[in-house]
Amino acid sequence: MNMAWEPRLIVIACHWCTYAGADLAGSLRYSYPPTVHIIRVPCSGRVEPEFIAEALKRGADGVFIGGCHFGDCHYKEGNYKAIRRFKLFKRVATDLGIEPERIQLEWISGSEGKRFSEAMTEFDAKIRELGPNPLKGGAQ
């Protein structure tokens, strides 16, 4: 039996903003794809490039990092740190043959449940266009 490929999306979400946005999306019944798997972190500034690399290595088809808008970071500078690391990792990923579109960073606040739902739907569609992660062994 040949199963149709479904993307596996890892969302690394800041506890204070994007995770709260995801929670609000659920409370307001805004749907988002079931391919989304959320990992809550204290701050997007705590997301090490190794986390992204490990997720891709373990079979994620896309990694989405969600943090607070500039000026809203609970730890003041976490999102600035996140964007610096994100830009660096995207360059490295390209050198390793990973499509940079598989990695996305966005700022979604706790009051943007609808935006969270839309961002997840858009990211799912983008990853479906790209197909399975080439690092995933035995991908269809």
Side-chain angles (χ1 to χ4, degrees):
M1 178 181 216
N2 191 7
M3 303 268 299
W5 170 75
E6 284 291 319
R8 182 173 173 81
L9 308 177
I10 301 299
V11 176
I12 303 175
C14 163
H15 168 78
W16 303 100
C17 294
T18 305
Y19 189 81
D23 192 37
L24 182 63
S27 297
L28 296 176
R29 299 186 184 265
Y30 290 123
S31 65
Y32 55 87
T35 55
V36 170
H37 303 275
I38 301 174
I39 298 172
R40 180 171 50 177
V41 293
C43 175
S44 61
R46 299 286 307 269
V47 178
E48 300 286 342
E50 292 90 343
F51 298 173
I52 302 167
E54 190 65 24
L56 291 168
K57 190 174 128 193
R58 289 186 179 210
D61 295 299
V63 178
F64 184 102
I65 300 134
C68 302
H69 291 277
F70 292 114
D72 289 346
C73 178
H74 194 75
Y75 302 101
K76 300 191 182 197
E77 299 177 354
N79 43 13
Y80 292 101
K81 218 182 258 186
I83 198 164
R84 285 193 303 267
R85 289 178 175 168
F86 176 76
K87 286 179 178 177
L88 177 67
F89 186 78
K90 265 192 128 165
R91 277 190 296 190
V92 171
T94 303
D95 290 345
L96 293 173
I98 300 168
E99 299 99 332
E101 296 85 9
R102 291 188 184 279
I103 309 153
Q104 187 169 332
L105 172 69
E106 280 208 32
W107 315 124
I108 300 173
S109 78
S111 64
E112 295 178 310
K114 186 174 183 182
R115 177 67 199 126
F116 179 84
S117 170
E118 292 168 348
M120 293 304 106
T121 302
E122 291 165 10
F123 191 54
D124 181 76
K126 184 188 305 178
I127 297 301
R128 285 179 190 275
E129 278 180 30
L130 291 172
N133 174 358
L135 298 179
K136 198 180 341 186
Q140 297 177 357

